[in-house]
Every structure is written in C-alpha cells, then in structure tokens.
Amino acid sequence: YHAAHCGQWEQEQCSHCPIDAAGKIETPRRVIYGVKENIYSMLNVTLICTSEWQYKQVSRSMLKNQEAKIIPPPVDTGIFYSGPKAAARSVLGLPQEAKIILFHHEGGITHSLSGGNYLLPALRELAQHDPEVIFVQIGTQDVSVFNGLNLPRRDLLNQSNRAIIAEYYRAADLYLHPSPLDSHYTSVLEAAACGTPAVVFDVGSVREFVSHEKTGYVVSPLHPTAFLQGIKTCLANHSRLTALGQAAALNAKQKYSHKKIISQYTALYRELAQVSLPVPQDKSIQDTDFLPQIPVIVATALADGWDTVWQEFDKYLSQYGSEQKSQQAIFTDAYFHECLRHLQADQDKNK
C-alpha cells in the first residue's frame, strides 16, 4: 500500500501505522523497519529517483545515506507522438467538433489512487455547463459508477494495446489526471508526447512534469472545484489549448524520449564504472563465538521491554568498526532473527 499523506515513516518507523489492527502488529513492524534500516546502511548503491520530489523523499528516509541521482521516466516516442487530432478521431470514430476529455487508469476510476472521488463531482458539474464535452475513459470495469453522469461517454474497459491508447491520447483535447498521490504519472507524459496537455493536482512528482499554463494546467490539491475550474479554463480557449498541447509534445520529446533517458543512464554507468570499489578485507568473522549469546541478551533485555532490546542492539552494533561490514551484517541478522522468534511466540500465545 501507499504511504499516502502520512508522515509517520519519518519519525516513528511506521510503528503506529493506522492501517494495522491496533496493537497487534506494532512491534513486528518496528523490527522489520530496523532490519531494513541496518541492511540499507551496509549497502553501497546508487539510487535512481525519477523526480526532485522523490529525491527529497529519499533524503528523509532510511536510504538517506545512499547516493541518489535524478533521471526522469522515459516515454516511447516511437508510439506516443503528436499527430493530427482529426485523423485520430476519424480512426476511432469520434466526433470531429466535440471537446474530448480523457481519463486513463488501469485500476479504474474507483481505485484509491486514481482520484476518482475528485473527478466524478467535477464531471457532474461540467455536464451541466458544457454540452459539447465527450468523456472517454480507459480502465474502469464497473461503469455503473457513471450512472447519473449526463455526459456522452465512451468506455474502454480493458485496453492494453499501447498504440490504440496513443491514438486516444492524440484524439483527446485534454487529459485528466486527478490522482491525489504520486502515482501513474507516466500517463501524463505519454499524453503530453501525443500533444495532449493534462490537468493535474499540485502533488508529488507530477507537478514537475507539467508546467502550469505552459504545457498543462496545475490546480490546488485536493478540491473537485479546483479541478473542474482547470478543465473549464483549458476547454474555454481552443487556440490556447492547442498551444499547450504543442508545447507539451515538444517538451516530452526533448526531455523524456528513450534516446534522452538512455544517454543519462549510460553516463551514470560510465561514471560508476570508474569508481574504485573497496577491496574486501581478508579477516575472519571474529564474533562467530559471540552469536550464541544473542538469545540470552535479547531475553534479558526483553524483561525490561522492547525499548531496552533496541538499546542493547545499538550498543553492540556500535562496537563494530567501519571496516567490519560483514561482521555487522551477520550480527544484525542474528539479533533480529531472535527478536522475530520472540514476536512469533507471543503471537502464537495470543491466538
């Protein structure tokens, strides 16, 4: 699942996740978080973030000590490219003079990450003011959710052919991306590459891929009224909408084509290949004899509560030097394995 707008992962190691049943999984989650944090601290990796927003998220997470680079997602401009809307509409059998708005989400408009709860009220209001609009949606299986929506509509229940999807992007005047979270924004770039600007909320990474009133329209989160106003503003001026689409297509081609993104990855790989890696120390794991003591250490500390267990862990972990990564990894694995064993035993008792 998605962290959504919850920030507990920054302060409380997800130990009080509202999704979990109260009290039943609090400690195991903290153990798992601790295992991850210590494993990640021993890694020597370079992380790829697709946006500045993702980069900032990483800098506040347990991965903050890892090197990170920003390389945006690619768009296959061999499939998603701009072309005459009239030709696309003729192929798809769509009216030439209509104002066509498009929504695409593989999980459908009722998916929790789609933003359908913001889009549907906006569409109902739009239907009362603009009779020329046709709504095309791709991905929603249960179309009963559109009952009472007085807009002409075309449904593509399950379309995976990217060439056909690209044709619909080219046919549309405006792409709608009401997601309240950082999800599925590749579709915004694909629509842009086809010459169709998008209306998006000012959230997550997508905000970086849409330049307000230059390549699309960005609205304040998370209000159906604001999203509706974005749709109405874009549809009100056809020449302005065309200019947005042309700018979006040019921007996508210049920044997000496969050729452009591959060149960035190639440059990064060459940079990393030139970095000399540390030579492993040929040392025996001196603490092998110490490992059998871990069950006693955990059990003794647990008598005073889990906070004492973590304090003991930090105390022993700090005794390893920076050159003792392998010993540190073995200790961490053994310690948390013992913690999980106690947790499992407690859960079995409570069944």
Side-chain angles (χ1 to χ4, degrees), residues 44-284:
N44 180 21
V45 298
T46 298
L47 304 172
I48 304 299
C49 303
T50 60
S51 67
E52 182 70 26
W53 180 85
Q54 283 188 2
Y55 183 87
K56 290 178 180 177
Q57 297 295 96
V58 167
S59 70
R60 300 200 299 269
S61 75
M62 66 176 74
L63 293 166
K64 61 187 176 183
N65 294 321
Q66 302 298 329
E67 183 179 17
K69 302 285 187 179
I70 300 174
I71 299 180
V75 175
D76 188 346
T77 51
I79 295 177
F80 300 99
Y81 55 87
S82 60
K85 290 193 182 299
R89 293 184 179 192
S90 178
V91 169
L92 299 172
L94 292 167
Q96 292 291 341
E97 302 303 320
K99 299 175 182 178
I100 298 178
I101 55 178
L102 174 64
F103 169 82
H104 175 207
H105 193 286
E106 291 180 2
I109 202 167
T110 57
H111 191 282
S112 62
L113 300 182
S114 75
N117 54 323
Y118 303 105
L119 179 58
L120 285 171
L123 292 177
R124 292 191 184 97
E125 185 70 19
L126 182 66
Q128 300 178 25
H129 295 88
D130 200 334
E132 297 178 5
V133 172
I134 292 178
F135 176 52
V136 177
Q137 71 86 18
I138 303 175
T140 303
Q141 301 290 318
D142 182 9
V143 296
S144 66
V145 70
F146 300 115
N147 290 347
L149 181 62
N150 295 319
L151 277 178
R153 190 179 80 247
R154 176 175 291 189
D155 300 313
L156 279 76
L157 304 186
N158 187 18
Q159 182 56 256
S160 59
N161 187 313
R162 296 196 301 159
I164 293 177
I165 292 173
E167 204 72 79
Y168 274 96
Y169 283 145
R170 282 188 284 273
D173 289 297
L174 191 63
Y175 183 69
L176 310 180
H177 186 79
S179 177
L181 303 171
D182 190 58
S183 70
H184 301 281
Y185 51 79
T186 302
S187 60
V188 172
L189 295 178
E190 292 172 347
C194 292
T196 301
V199 178
V200 303
F201 281 126
D202 188 0
V203 296
S205 301
V206 71
R207 176 63 179 87
E208 299 174 41
F209 302 131
V210 178
S211 181
H212 183 53
E213 295 190 316
K214 293 180 180 178
T215 64
Y217 205 88
V218 182
V219 302
S220 301
L222 297 161
H223 302 288
T225 303
F227 203 83
L228 170 64
Q229 188 57 48
I231 297 173
K232 292 169 68 175
T233 300
C234 289
L235 294 179
N237 188 324
H238 183 266
S239 61
R240 183 165 172 265
L241 186 60
T242 300
L244 287 177
Q246 291 172 344
L250 180 61
N251 185 62
K253 185 176 182 180
Q254 291 179 341
K255 292 183 178 180
Y256 309 119
S257 69
H258 278 183
K259 182 178 180 180
K260 180 71 174 180
I261 302 305
I262 287 172
S263 68
Q264 294 181 55
Y265 274 101
T266 301
L268 176 60
Y269 292 154
R270 286 175 176 165
E271 176 188 333
L272 296 176
Q274 294 174 359
V275 176
S276 58
L277 298 176
V279 178
Q281 300 286 335
D282 184 19
K283 292 183 178 181
S284 61

Side-chain angles (χ1 to χ4, degrees), residues 2-77:
H2 201 287
H5 303 291
C6 179
Q8 289 191 39
W9 59 272
E10 293 186 63
Q11 294 88 20
E12 300 182 14
Q13 301 182 336
C14 295
S15 59
H16 297 86
C17 181
I19 295 177
D20 297 336
K24 290 187 178 180
I25 199 169
E26 175 181 334
T27 307
R29 189 179 289 279
R30 185 172 180 181
V31 172
I32 293 170
Y33 197 100
V35 171
K36 287 182 178 180
E37 187 172 37
N38 283 281
I39 290 174
Y40 293 161
S41 70
M42 302 172 202
L43 296 178
N44 180 21
V45 298
T46 298
L47 304 172
I48 304 299
C49 303
T50 60
S51 67
E52 182 70 26
W53 180 85
Q54 283 188 2
Y55 183 87
K56 290 178 180 177
Q57 297 295 96
V58 167
S59 70
R60 300 200 299 269
S61 75
M62 66 176 74
L63 293 166
K64 61 187 176 183
N65 294 321
Q66 302 298 329
E67 183 179 17
K69 302 285 187 179
I70 300 174
I71 299 180
V75 175
D76 188 346
T77 51

